[in-house]
Amino acid sequence: MKINFTLDYHTQWGEKILIKINATLKNETTVIEKYLDYNTEKSCSTTLELPKNSVVTYKYYLVNENLNINKGEYGAKRMLSLNFKEDDSILLKDVWQTQEYQTPLNSCAFTDSILKQSSNEQNKRHNDEIDLNVKNRSSKKNSSIKKNESSINDNKVSTVTVKTFIPYLLPSQDLLICGNSGELGEWNPDNAILMKRDNQNNRYASLFLVSGVDYEYKFIIRNNEKIEWEKGENRVIKINSSFNIQIIQSSLPNFYCRERKFAGLSVPVFSLKSESDYGIGEFTDLIKLVDFCKEIGMSFIQILPINDTTITQTWLDSYPYKANSTFALHPIYINLGKAGRLSDADKMKVYRREGDYLNSIENIDYEAVSNLKWRYLHDLFDEKGNETLKLTDFKNFFNQNKDWLVDYAAFSYLRDQNQTADFEWWKELSNYNKEKVNELTDVNSLHYRDICFYYFVQYHLYKQLSQVHDYSKKNGVAIKGDIPIGICSQSADVWSNPGLFKRNSQAGAPPDLFSQNGQNWGFPTYNWSEMSKDNYKWWKNRFKNMSLFFDAYRIDHILGFFRIWEIPSKNILGIGGHFSPALPYSNEEIKNYGFCEDVLWFTKPHLRYDEIVSIFGDKTSFVIDTFLENMGDGWFDFNSTYDTEAEIENFFIGQCNEDTRIVREKLLMTINDFLFIKDPIQNEKYHPRISAFDTFSFKRLNQQQKESYTNLYNDFFYKRHNLFWAEVALKKLPALINSTNMLVCGEDLGMIPDCVPEVMKKLDILSLDIERMPKEFGVEFGDVEKYDKYSVCTTSTHDMSTLREWWNEDKDKIQRYYNQVLKKDGKAPSVCDEHLCKEILNRNLHSPSILAIFPIQDWLSVRQDLCNENPAKERINEPSNARHYWRYRMKISIENLYKDRNLKQQLKQMIIESKRNV
């Protein structure tokens, strides 16, 4: 089948256009790469023979004079199904897709959910238009044909499909095409042609046009009876008589710019409360939340990670960012009743009574809830497991997910059998062996039924969350998930894919507003070089799996894709880490900055006696006798027994009084009193230690040495790595985010290199803006009016205090905010009442950000009878506390939230006034 690819694009001298094509027929794919020939300086083309009935995807690339690809088009690959006749000849006349074609509105969050017309409504309008057009065409011929009836037989009739992309239409709006012929409606909007929508969010209309005639047209937006014509000159179609099928891509319609903005709420699933829960929020609670959001005009529900975190089987598993699998869902979120009821009525009453009690208490009793659900699921599996495993639906689920599901089930079984998730302590299979795992999980294995229990649980979880996602899409509410940057070292992923992770180090974050000593998350860091060998298959599968349940996602700590804060495995705090990858200094470079001291001396903590006294006071003798060694000349070093943070931490295990806690914290900081960190791979190179200016090592330097160190420090952390880290991120991120069509948002808070905003913009990743955590250096509060339109605006995150608690934290800062930002006179109120909360929410709602997604606690603060009397109890997480208990629950149930007409009206009005309603 002959196909001509023609592209309108103005190339410079030496540049060429390359087309890359995949033609798939019966599961066999042919890959074609070909340069286009020049027609004019603004147009080039090539003609190829491709197999009939194949599915073709293709994309154009600009190649420089050295035959290196400069750039590719924005957006997804174009798609064409060649279900034409064998002797058809096809012309594809394309326009280069600029960044405008890859707006957030082109993601599935909008195309498949928020801005999607219901199929019934869409089909009805299409059918009505078809009937109307048939009548028009039967009553009058194409005007161009009427004018040339004598030569009609000399002109070829072609099927012409006009195609364009318009991402900002609302479900109630239609795009039409109208022009100068009878076929195009003769400039009468009543006779215009309705454009349909394909599965790539393009609008198209198919026409029968004659060669030799210039057809002029414009696009029209119709909303009920209201008509808006496209601005600018008429578009022109000239039929190429060599092709009987022609598909013409028009550039973006030229209407008055419509900046669509949307609102949403964020809430952890565990924080939801419904009348039928068992003491914790469940996946099915999201259905009721969708109803609430739809009624008030909200478009997004954002949640925290929902993967299985069952590791210790204690409340420590409440930490949602420490999953034991990046694919398995957490059993604690299952709706037990929908999974199946037990036939024993007395047993059901006992479970229900226990669940009602857990549902009545203020916070989550994580261990009790988890214990109840595991017991119930085991009982349910004993009763209904065999029946479920025979279902066709279950078999389909298993076959689609077995690549991760079998390893996860084996890991979970071995964890429970060995009573630890730390596989290094397992008697067998401490080192993953695929053959032995297959034996363990084989249908003839003695343990097969025990393994199947975990299949059974995941089947019900996947089924329930899929139903939630289907419901949310049908109701125009997008669900936004969360991709943690890390994975637990005691996880099925690390166990079964050890080569993808570096277990001799830990991921975390450098010191920031969340934590002065940095954060140590305890996750292994990634072996990116190994991951790149299969083009990041593990990551791609992870993203694709998320797309089963979500329309958008937040990349937790997106900076980790540029560089991760890597902490030695024997460290407890985050402050002794370094960036990886990085460009550490050589001795020569450090000397060139004028820092001529012995670098090795500054890689270890050395203390003077008076410094020890100033830190430890009356505990000085105890500290010296136990942890330090006198090196002579008044110098003290940590002795060999306690020269790592882990050894110091072990000393204090079981000692819980306040004095020992303070000594422990001071020792952990003091052992980090140095200026340089040796690179773990390049031993002769060094990283400046973060926040080193507060150390005694820095304070002892003379003025010239302080200036030299300050210069090399600032260059290292703020200039040296910009291009390097941009290249690092651009090697990874495009492959990952292009694996799905979900909307991508990045959590870009903290110590942000200059290259990050540029890369995020290049990849169309929405940034995060928080008024009280501005990104501009030296600025105390962000200017909400200057936020980038492609950003997510929020008032708080799960790692921060809510608005009401923040108001109580720093009264001087609040006073400045009250006077300078809110422009109010006098003393700031002692509490952030509902009027102030509403004013702050409204400020953020009116920002230019495309998304304004606020924590549900902040939304509810407009009615403080719905809030906890103590704002601190609404805090979700304390990042500085590695053992924080994640247990916040809403005060009000979702059922009562939905029934509260006053609240719904208030929030709806705020969303309408800020023009964030769909």
Side-chain angles (χ1 to χ4, degrees), residues 28 126 129 214 294 307 384-385 467 555 653 707 741 746 756 849-850 901 918:
E28 290 189 10
H126 287 162
E129 292 292 338
D214 287 353
K294 180 182 180 182
N307 293 105
K384 299 184 183 293
Q467 289 169 349
I555 301 179
I653 290 176
E707 290 175 3
N741 193 29
V756 172
S849 302
I850 187 172
R901 294 181 180 178
V918 179

mmCIF file of all heavy atoms in Angstrom, residues 28 126 129 214 294 307 384-385 467 555 653 707 741 746 756 849-850 901 918:
data_model
loop_
_atom_site.group_PDB
_atom_site.id
_atom_site.type_symbol
_atom_site.label_atom_id
_atom_site.label_comp_id
_atom_site.label_asym_id
_atom_site.label_seq_id
_atom_site.Cartn_x
_atom_site.Cartn_y
_atom_site.Cartn_z
ATOM 1 N N GLU A 28 3.976 -8.873 14.461
ATOM 2 C CA GLU A 28 5.316 -8.689 13.906
ATOM 3 C C GLU A 28 5.476 -7.219 13.528
ATOM 4 O O GLU A 28 4.636 -6.648 12.828
ATOM 5 C CB GLU A 28 5.534 -9.582 12.683
ATOM 6 C CG GLU A 28 5.620 -11.063 13.030
ATOM 7 C CD GLU A 28 6.060 -11.901 11.840
ATOM 8 O OE1 GLU A 28 6.467 -11.306 10.813
ATOM 9 O OE2 GLU A 28 5.986 -13.139 11.943
ATOM 10 N N HIS A 126 -23.011 13.376 17.511
ATOM 11 C CA HIS A 126 -22.481 12.986 16.205
ATOM 12 C C HIS A 126 -23.587 12.495 15.286
ATOM 13 O O HIS A 126 -23.659 12.867 14.118
ATOM 14 C CB HIS A 126 -21.429 11.888 16.378
ATOM 15 C CG HIS A 126 -20.151 12.400 16.960
ATOM 16 N ND1 HIS A 126 -19.220 11.577 17.532
ATOM 17 C CD2 HIS A 126 -19.651 13.654 17.069
ATOM 18 C CE1 HIS A 126 -18.202 12.297 17.962
ATOM 19 N NE2 HIS A 126 -18.440 13.558 17.702
ATOM 20 N N GLU A 129 -25.664 15.298 14.023
ATOM 21 C CA GLU A 129 -24.971 16.065 12.988
ATOM 22 C C GLU A 129 -24.958 15.302 11.661
ATOM 23 O O GLU A 129 -25.114 15.877 10.599
ATOM 24 C CB GLU A 129 -23.524 16.350 13.434
ATOM 25 C CG GLU A 129 -23.415 17.304 14.597
ATOM 26 C CD GLU A 129 -23.850 18.705 14.223
ATOM 27 O OE1 GLU A 129 -23.837 19.039 13.024
ATOM 28 O OE2 GLU A 129 -24.218 19.459 15.134
ATOM 29 N N ASP A 214 -9.863 25.036 -4.775
ATOM 30 C CA ASP A 214 -9.305 25.482 -3.499
ATOM 31 C C ASP A 214 -10.435 25.567 -2.482
ATOM 32 O O ASP A 214 -11.387 26.358 -2.672
ATOM 33 C CB ASP A 214 -8.642 26.848 -3.647
ATOM 34 C CG ASP A 214 -7.318 26.765 -4.394
ATOM 35 O OD1 ASP A 214 -6.873 25.622 -4.658
ATOM 36 O OD2 ASP A 214 -6.739 27.815 -4.690
ATOM 37 N N LYS A 294 -17.122 15.696 42.550
ATOM 38 C CA LYS A 294 -17.886 16.002 41.338
ATOM 39 C C LYS A 294 -18.934 17.067 41.610
ATOM 40 O O LYS A 294 -19.125 17.992 40.808
ATOM 41 C CB LYS A 294 -18.545 14.725 40.818
ATOM 42 C CG LYS A 294 -19.366 14.942 39.548
ATOM 43 C CD LYS A 294 -20.027 13.657 39.099
ATOM 44 C CE LYS A 294 -20.854 13.880 37.840
ATOM 45 N NZ LYS A 294 -21.553 12.647 37.406
ATOM 46 N N ASN A 307 1.150 1.142 48.094
ATOM 47 C CA ASN A 307 1.758 -0.179 47.951
ATOM 48 C C ASN A 307 1.913 -0.858 49.304
ATOM 49 O O ASN A 307 1.926 -0.206 50.352
ATOM 50 C CB ASN A 307 3.111 -0.065 47.261
ATOM 51 C CG ASN A 307 2.981 0.380 45.816
ATOM 52 O OD1 ASN A 307 3.260 1.520 45.490
ATOM 53 N ND2 ASN A 307 2.526 -0.513 44.953
ATOM 54 N N LYS A 384 -13.361 -19.491 50.517
ATOM 55 C CA LYS A 384 -13.688 -19.181 49.122
ATOM 56 C C LYS A 384 -12.483 -19.207 48.184
ATOM 57 O O LYS A 384 -12.605 -18.892 47.004
ATOM 58 C CB LYS A 384 -14.349 -17.796 49.033
ATOM 59 C CG LYS A 384 -15.655 -17.686 49.820
ATOM 60 C CD LYS A 384 -16.314 -16.333 49.614
ATOM 61 C CE LYS A 384 -17.572 -16.179 50.452
ATOM 62 N NZ LYS A 384 -18.641 -17.081 50.027
ATOM 63 N N GLY A 385 -11.324 -19.552 48.711
ATOM 64 C CA GLY A 385 -10.112 -19.503 47.902
ATOM 65 C C GLY A 385 -10.160 -20.384 46.679
ATOM 66 O O GLY A 385 -9.867 -19.936 45.559
ATOM 67 N N GLN A 467 -12.080 -0.779 39.965
ATOM 68 C CA GLN A 467 -13.468 -0.309 39.955
ATOM 69 C C GLN A 467 -13.547 1.158 40.373
ATOM 70 O O GLN A 467 -14.322 1.934 39.815
ATOM 71 C CB GLN A 467 -14.311 -1.187 40.875
ATOM 72 C CG GLN A 467 -14.555 -2.582 40.326
ATOM 73 C CD GLN A 467 -15.164 -3.530 41.347
ATOM 74 O OE1 GLN A 467 -15.231 -3.233 42.548
ATOM 75 N NE2 GLN A 467 -15.609 -4.696 40.885
ATOM 76 N N ILE A 555 5.810 12.582 41.212
ATOM 77 C CA ILE A 555 7.099 11.932 41.421
ATOM 78 C C ILE A 555 7.669 12.471 42.722
ATOM 79 O O ILE A 555 8.056 13.634 42.816
ATOM 80 C CB ILE A 555 8.074 12.198 40.262
ATOM 81 C CG1 ILE A 555 7.495 11.708 38.939
ATOM 82 C CG2 ILE A 555 9.412 11.528 40.537
ATOM 83 C CD1 ILE A 555 8.389 11.967 37.748
ATOM 84 N N ILE A 653 20.797 1.833 72.496
ATOM 85 C CA ILE A 653 19.585 1.019 72.382
ATOM 86 C C ILE A 653 19.088 0.628 73.775
ATOM 87 O O ILE A 653 19.845 0.134 74.604
ATOM 88 C CB ILE A 653 19.855 -0.248 71.533
ATOM 89 C CG1 ILE A 653 20.067 0.142 70.072
ATOM 90 C CG2 ILE A 653 18.694 -1.242 71.644
ATOM 91 C CD1 ILE A 653 20.435 -1.018 69.162
ATOM 92 N N GLU A 707 37.333 31.788 53.480
ATOM 93 C CA GLU A 707 36.885 32.313 52.194
ATOM 94 C C GLU A 707 37.111 31.299 51.070
ATOM 95 O O GLU A 707 36.250 31.118 50.195
ATOM 96 C CB GLU A 707 37.618 33.626 51.883
ATOM 97 C CG GLU A 707 37.191 34.778 52.783
ATOM 98 C CD GLU A 707 38.006 36.045 52.536
ATOM 99 O OE1 GLU A 707 38.868 36.014 51.623
ATOM 100 O OE2 GLU A 707 37.787 37.040 53.248
ATOM 101 N N ASN A 741 0.612 7.743 29.420
ATOM 102 C CA ASN A 741 0.094 9.074 29.079
ATOM 103 C C ASN A 741 -0.495 9.754 30.302
ATOM 104 O O ASN A 741 -1.353 10.621 30.191
ATOM 105 C CB ASN A 741 -0.968 8.975 27.976
ATOM 106 C CG ASN A 741 -1.289 10.329 27.369
ATOM 107 O OD1 ASN A 741 -0.443 11.220 27.327
ATOM 108 N ND2 ASN A 741 -2.524 10.509 26.935
ATOM 109 N N GLY A 746 5.989 16.893 39.568
ATOM 110 C CA GLY A 746 7.217 16.622 40.314
ATOM 111 C C GLY A 746 7.238 17.357 41.634
ATOM 112 O O GLY A 746 6.848 18.523 41.708
ATOM 113 N N VAL A 756 17.073 22.089 37.255
ATOM 114 C CA VAL A 756 15.838 21.322 37.460
ATOM 115 C C VAL A 756 14.625 21.963 36.783
ATOM 116 O O VAL A 756 13.902 21.289 36.046
ATOM 117 C CB VAL A 756 15.585 21.084 38.961
ATOM 118 C CG1 VAL A 756 14.217 20.456 39.193
ATOM 119 C CG2 VAL A 756 16.670 20.185 39.536
ATOM 120 N N SER A 849 -1.541 28.813 38.478
ATOM 121 C CA SER A 849 -1.241 27.380 38.389
ATOM 122 C C SER A 849 -2.401 26.611 37.781
ATOM 123 O O SER A 849 -3.558 26.813 38.154
ATOM 124 C CB SER A 849 -0.938 26.821 39.778
ATOM 125 O OG SER A 849 0.132 27.494 40.389
ATOM 126 N N ILE A 850 -2.099 25.679 36.895
ATOM 127 C CA ILE A 850 -3.150 24.890 36.259
ATOM 128 C C ILE A 850 -3.877 24.024 37.284
ATOM 129 O O ILE A 850 -5.072 23.780 37.155
ATOM 130 C CB ILE A 850 -2.573 24.030 35.110
ATOM 131 C CG1 ILE A 850 -3.698 23.349 34.336
ATOM 132 C CG2 ILE A 850 -1.553 23.023 35.603
ATOM 133 C CD1 ILE A 850 -3.246 22.639 33.069
ATOM 134 N N ARG A 901 -24.569 20.303 53.075
ATOM 135 C CA ARG A 901 -24.856 21.213 51.963
ATOM 136 C C ARG A 901 -24.147 22.555 52.117
ATOM 137 O O ARG A 901 -23.699 23.152 51.134
ATOM 138 C CB ARG A 901 -26.366 21.432 51.865
ATOM 139 C CG ARG A 901 -27.139 20.173 51.465
ATOM 140 C CD ARG A 901 -28.619 20.466 51.353
ATOM 141 N NE ARG A 901 -29.359 19.272 50.973
ATOM 142 C CZ ARG A 901 -30.680 19.232 50.841
ATOM 143 N NH1 ARG A 901 -31.393 20.340 51.034
ATOM 144 N NH2 ARG A 901 -31.283 18.107 50.495
ATOM 145 N N VAL A 918 -15.000 22.840 36.021
ATOM 146 C CA VAL A 918 -15.001 22.366 34.630
ATOM 147 C C VAL A 918 -16.296 22.802 33.950
ATOM 148 O O VAL A 918 -17.372 22.570 34.484
ATOM 149 C CB VAL A 918 -14.873 20.838 34.599
ATOM 150 C CG1 VAL A 918 -14.905 20.340 33.169
ATOM 151 C CG2 VAL A 918 -13.577 20.416 35.261
#
